[in-house]
Every structure is written in C-alpha cells, then in structure tokens.
Amino acid sequence: MDDIQDPGNLGTIIRTAEWFGFQRIICSIGTVDAYNPKVVQATMGSLSRIEIHYLDLKAFIQDAKLPVFGALLNGNSIYETDWRDEGLLVLGNEGNGISDELIKLVDKPVTIPRIGEAESLNVAVATTIFCSEIARTKKL
C-alpha cells in the first residue's frame, strides 16, 4: 500500500485481505496507522489476524527480487495476468495513485478493465477485485 490516507480504506483492505486468505500487507511509511481507531473499526477484527508492516517500499521492492505488479490505468488486464507465481502488488494513494519513484520499479503494470466512464475506482474496491482474481487464479 503506497501512502493510503483514508482510515476506512485501509481497514477495508485489511478485512478484504483476510477474507481472501492473504496473510500480510506491506505499507509505506506514509500510510495511515493501522491502529487508528477508524482503521481498527473498519477491519471488524481482521487486524488481529493479518500482519501489517510499515517499510520504506522502494528499498523493500528493490531488495525483494520478485515480480512487481502495479495497479495502473494503462496496464494489462488482471483477467489476462498470470497470478500463480509469487510477486508483489502495489496499490497507490487515493488521490495520486502509485508514486513516481515506485512506478519506476513496476515491471508488470496491471489494470481492472474499465467498461463505463468512471475516472477511477476507490482503492479499497480495487484491492477487493485484485484479491478476488488472485485468489481465484491460485485455486485453479
């Protein structure tokens, strides 16, 4: 999570991650505190079962030596992406998306195909769609 600011969004993301079987979320230092009361409330208890780490994302991604998927408007369709291998998925800030310094590290840009005219999706909604597709693909 790259600088997620809204406590409700982070709480929903944590709850969603647990629903789909993810075990950890890595947040940038600038992401809202997972123990903010609004985040805790939105997790509905999932915070106690998901590992949350706050790190320098740039350094972490550079050291990880894993494919880096980035949620971008101009990426390949998530429905045509092979999610079976291990990798990192970066989702960006509500107003700015993924920071420029992290976009440079994305080697697999991916998008949720847009059918209508909306400009973007809420980051928590986008995370839910990504989690669902990744979980569905890994079960194949």
Side-chain angles (χ1 to χ4, degrees):
M1 298 293 122
D2 183 18
D3 289 353
I4 303 304
Q5 299 299 298
D6 183 87
N9 282 340
L10 184 59
T12 300
I13 289 166
I14 293 167
R15 186 174 176 188
T16 297
E18 183 189 19
W19 178 267
F20 286 105
F22 291 84
Q23 298 174 347
R24 72 192 52 82
I25 295 173
I26 300 167
C27 300
S28 67
I29 302 300
T31 294
V32 63
D33 182 5
Y35 294 98
N36 173 302
K38 291 180 181 179
V39 175
V40 173
Q41 181 180 10
T43 72
M44 298 298 289
S46 293
L47 183 59
S48 66
R49 296 179 292 273
I50 296 285
E51 293 177 32
I52 309 292
H53 302 274
Y54 285 83
L55 306 170
D56 175 336
L57 284 185
K58 183 178 180 184
F60 175 75
I61 291 169
Q62 289 172 325
D63 291 345
K65 306 293 188 240
L66 291 168
V68 180
F69 298 88
L72 300 165
L73 290 175
N74 61 346
N76 297 318
S77 169
I78 65 167
Y79 305 115
E80 297 171 1
T81 300
D82 184 355
W83 297 106
R84 290 175 290 184
D85 293 329
E86 190 175 53
L88 303 173
L89 172 62
V90 180
L91 288 110
N93 170 282
E94 294 90 346
N96 302 311
I98 299 172
S99 65
D100 290 338
E101 76 173 357
L102 295 185
I103 286 177
K104 294 174 187 173
L105 301 176
V106 170
D107 48 29
K108 296 179 182 270
V110 289
T111 192
I112 299 165
R114 176 175 39 189
I115 298 168
E117 298 299 318
E119 183 179 300
S120 64
L121 287 173
N122 170 285
V123 67
V125 170
T127 300
T128 300
I129 295 168
F130 274 100
C131 287
S132 176
E133 183 62 13
I134 292 167
R136 183 193 70 79
T137 302
K138 289 195 176 287
K139 290 183 180 179
L140 296 178

